[in-house]
Every structure is written in C-alpha cells, then in structure tokens.
Amino acid sequence: APRRPTTPPPTGSKVDNPYAGARGYVNPEWKAKADAEPGGSRISNNPTAVWLDRIAAINGTPDSSSNGAFGVRDHLEEALRQGAGYIQFVIYNLPGRDCAALASNGELGPNDLPRYKAEYIDPIAAIQSDPKYRNIRIINIIEIDSLPNLVTNTSGQAGGTAMCDTVKANGAYVNGVGYALAKLGVIGNVYNYIDAAHHGWIGWDTNFGPTADMLKSAAVASGSTVNNVHGFIVNTANYSALREPYIKITDNVNGQTVRQSKWIDWNFYVDELSFAQAFRDKLVSVGFNSGIGMLIDTSRNGWGGSARPTGPGATTSVDTYVNGGRIDRRIHAGNWCNQAGAGLGERPKAAPEPGIDAYVWVKPPGESDGSSELIPNEEGKGFDRMCDPTYTGNPRNGNSATGSLPNAPISGAWFSAQFQELMRNAYPAL
C-alpha cells in the first residue's frame, strides 16, 4: 500500500500562475538522454514534464524503454534538491485510454475505472500530498487526448471508433477525469490543467462548443467542482504552429475566404495562440472560473529551418496562398506522429501572452510518438498506422500521407533522429 502522510495535506490559496517567478524542474532522466546527443546540452536544462503513463511509473520503471527508474517520489525529492519552484506530471492512464488511436493505448480496459482510482490516482495523490513537498508547485496535466475524443471520434463522426463509443457510454473518461481532479485538486500546492486538444482538432464550431461542454461535465463529475481546475493545455505532444504570421482567418484570395483552402478546411483558427485565447473565453462562458490560465505545448511546433516561409504565399488561389505562407509544414493538420521537418518551438516561458500561463515542454523533445512499424513490447504500446510513413491515411487526416519519420521506436522511447531534426529546425533557432 502507498505510504500516506500522517498530517493533513497543506491548505491555502493557490497562486494565480504557478509558473510565474518559479524555476522549473529539470528531469535528470530526460536531461541525460539529451546531453548524450551532439549539441543536446544546448536545451537539456529546460523543464519538461514527467509522464505517468501506467501504474508502474508511480514507483519507477527501471527496465522500460520509456519512463525511467525515477518514480513520483524520486522526482519530487530531486525537485527539492534542485530547488525547483514547480514540477510537471502528466496524468495519463484512463480506462480505455486514447480510444481513437493505437500507439498510446494504455494498460487499463474500458471498464477498469475502479483500478484507475485505487491503483493509479490514489497512490499519486498520497505522494503529492506529503507535506514534505508543500513548497513545490505540483502541476498535473490531466489526461491528454481523452475528453475531446468523446466529441469527435464517436459514432457518426468521421473515423469514429467502437472504443470511443464504449468509454463515452460507460462514463470512464468523464468520471475518471472528475475523480482525478477532485483527489488531486484538494491538495493546496497542486494545480490541475486539463488537456483541451488543439485548433486543428476542435477549431470548428461543431466541435468548439461541445468540447467546452464536455470538459465542464468532467470538471463537475465524481465529486469534483470547477475549483479543482486551474486551467487547460492545448497542443500537448502536437505540432500546431504557435502563430501563423502570414495567414489570417479573415483573409480572402480572389473573392474566396482562406477557410475554403484544403489546409484550413473551414476551421475558424489557423494557429494555437489565437485558438487558446478564444477557447479560454469559451470555457469561462460555460462556467469555469474567470481566472483560468492556458498552457501551450511548444516543444515541437517551431517549424524553423530552410523550409520556413518568410512571407505570404502566391495569390493564385486560396491553396497556393495558404500552403505557400503557412509555418506548419505538415501534410495535414490531423497528422500527429513523429512529424518530419518539425522543430523545437518557443522555450518554456511564464506568462508570455494575455490568458496564457506559460509556454511549456510537456512532450519531452526526442521521445517518440509511436513506432513506425509493429514492435512487440510489454509496455502496452500498440502500433498505429498514423506512425507509418508508407500509410496513405484515413478520414481523420483527409486520407493523406502521414508525414511520419521512418524507423521510430515505440511511444515514449528515445528517438535520436527526431531529436536531431528538432534541434536543426528549432525556431527560435538554437
């Protein structure tokens, strides 16, 4: 059984922005991998998040190709040693996890909500509530790619899956997130940020409002309230550009709106910053506290290098205009796995823009999104064709090529070739 503190969890009002004025925790396990790469020491002192993607990760997984020997308590002890002001954990083990993909399926079946609560969330809460760590701001990134899937990838949607139908019907995601928020949010120095997808996923009006409503339903489930939500994060482990300086959603080319271009495809947003700020307003309007802040994962959305546009595209058509000027060089905005040509984005930074608590590196650069071919493993990591560079796509990515790098290892494992490319294409440049 997990060791529980004998004194109550620390209480008191939380700070408005846990990133402000605080030094971030540098994960020594990620740092060692980055430092082993030529040139890696240029970025290895940046704070990155610790992913808790299975029950075993709570105590450490020394024999794993992902995670590492450090468990939650080890990381917190190291944070104390470093004098860090904040540390970031990714809470990522819902029943039937990642219901619309396979590369990051989890260990728990869709009906394993009791195990999620008792064997995963409860032990994490027991460690995080230890008064020994009360002076560290513990930031939890709550269940990426989960709740938005219930809006976009169930029956009736392009590419809807049976697993998404199941976890929507049985409440595994909503109640799992609600339980995590309630259990962790009561701790005085813990800050919960729920994953809210990205503009290329829910930027359409048909997804925008319903996703905000879905997030609200989870925030008040299983005994939680909106007070357990400090904010939201967008673009987690994704590649959407922070800003598109040469395209505005209001642009017209030869009498046609750029929303008609194949790339934008009637979306209302072209980049993550504008989306994050607008979605924050929407979340407040559906009942979240007016003080919520947004995080943007900028670990891999820099898109620098020689392929980066320096001005608008040709005005021959809406497609030449958008494709010639867009910073995001993916084949399709629905592509998410080990994207070729990507670069490091903005370095972690507190309060960079109104409504934005921080730019963060939640996905540690160099850790794979998934294997490019089937690799048998005992870590619960499946094979998703969206990670296969030879795959020609599905309805969720407009039946486009995946744009994925070849020879990738399983999700979370170190991918040296990707790390080197991210550094080459960094923007701002290293």
Side-chain angles (χ1 to χ4, degrees):
R3 184 168 69 86
R4 283 173 161 67
T6 56
T7 55
T11 57
S13 60
K14 293 176 168 61
V15 298
D16 177 61
N17 182 351
Y19 291 87
R23 175 184 169 198
Y25 171 67
V26 178
N27 180 352
E29 295 181 317
W30 175 78
K31 177 177 165 57
K33 294 173 186 175
D35 280 339
E37 295 279 347
S41 61
R42 293 174 295 174
I43 67 166
S44 63
N45 285 316
N46 280 296
T48 57
V50 174
W51 287 59
L52 305 176
D53 65 357
R54 53 199 152 132
I55 292 166
I58 299 169
N59 291 320
T61 54
D63 299 319
S64 167
S65 61
S66 56
N67 309 115
F70 273 30
V72 175
R73 190 174 292 280
D74 299 308
H75 283 293
L76 287 165
E77 290 291 330
E78 175 66 12
L80 285 176
R81 192 195 67 77
Q82 290 181 15
Y86 71 82
I87 184 172
Q88 304 166 103
F89 291 103
V90 179
I91 306 300
Y92 187 46
N93 199 31
L94 275 176
R97 188 182 74 195
D98 210 356
C99 62
L102 297 172
S104 49
N105 285 163
E107 65 187 347
L108 299 180
N111 296 311
D112 282 342
L113 184 59
R115 284 193 66 198
Y116 175 80
K117 293 178 178 180
E119 297 179 39
Y120 181 69
I121 295 299
D122 287 358
I124 292 172
I127 298 169
Q128 292 188 354
S129 63
D130 189 327
K132 184 176 184 180
Y133 310 122
R134 64 183 175 273
N135 293 323
I136 304 173
R137 298 169 186 174
I138 300 173
I139 294 159
N140 290 317
I141 307 300
I142 305 294
E143 297 294 353
I144 66 170
D145 292 348
S146 59
L147 299 169
N149 267 321
L150 303 185
V151 175
T152 64
N153 290 317
T154 50
S155 291
Q157 304 284 340
T161 70
M163 180 62 83
C164 288
D165 286 344
T166 297
V167 292
K168 183 176 183 178
N170 71 7
Y173 282 12
V174 166
N175 289 308
V177 169
Y179 186 83
L181 292 171
K183 196 78 177 181
L184 300 169
V186 72
I187 305 168
N189 56 313
V190 162
Y191 299 80
N192 293 323
Y193 289 82
I194 309 177
D195 183 76
H198 55 87
H199 90 273
W201 185 351
I202 62 169
W204 291 268
D205 53 358
T206 49
N207 298 337
F208 193 81
T211 299
D213 293 337
M214 182 63 71
L215 294 166
K216 172 70 182 305
S217 70
V220 297
S222 298
S224 181
T225 74
V226 294
N227 294 328
N228 291 316
V229 181
H230 205 76
F232 296 83
I233 182 169
V234 299
N235 203 47
T236 314
N238 210 267
Y239 299 86
S240 296
L242 183 64
R243 295 182 181 87
E244 287 288 1
Y246 309 121
I247 308 167
K248 296 193 302 294
I249 202 67
T250 53
D251 287 347
N252 285 274
V253 178
N254 301 328
Q256 282 189 300
T257 170
V258 294
R259 292 184 63 222
Q260 292 178 258
S261 67
K262 185 177 180 182
W263 171 257
I264 298 175
D265 191 27
W266 296 104
N267 201 312
F268 281 96
Y269 300 91
V270 295
D271 56 29
E272 283 306 293
L273 180 57
S274 63
F275 166 74
Q277 291 172 324
F279 198 51
R280 179 190 176 281
D281 292 341
K282 182 63 177 179
L283 290 161
V284 171
S285 78
V286 302
F288 285 99
N289 295 330
S290 60
I292 57 170
M294 305 297 285
L295 306 177
I296 303 177
D297 189 349
T298 58
S299 58
R300 303 181 302 180
N301 70 346
W303 296 104
S306 60
R308 185 182 177 90
T310 56
T315 55
T316 311
S317 69
V318 290
D319 285 318
T320 58
Y321 178 77
V322 170
N323 289 333
R326 61 183 167 92
I327 300 301
D328 188 334
R329 306 312 297 168
R330 285 178 294 177
I331 297 168
H332 189 277
N335 288 351
W336 54 266
C337 195
N338 301 323
Q339 292 299 285
L344 301 168
E346 290 279 352
R347 314 313 178 246
K349 181 182 180 181
E353 295 285 343
I356 310 299
D357 278 355
Y359 297 150
V360 293
W361 282 9
V362 164
K363 177 69 173 182
E367 293 190 2
S368 174
D369 294 318
S371 59
S372 48
E373 58 187 23
L374 178 62
I375 299 177
N377 65 90
E378 296 181 354
E379 300 179 30
K381 309 293 178 67
F383 169 54
D384 194 300
R385 290 297 304 278
M386 288 297 291
C387 301
D388 177 358
T390 70
Y391 183 49
T392 54
N394 57 46
R396 289 199 294 275
N397 82 329
N399 296 298
S400 306
T402 65
S404 298
L405 291 168
N407 305 313
I410 62 171
S411 62
W414 190 254
F415 191 6
S416 176
Q418 185 194 48
F419 185 78
Q420 289 294 329
E421 183 172 70
L422 290 171
M423 289 194 298
R424 284 195 302 272
N425 295 331
Y427 189 89
L430 296 177

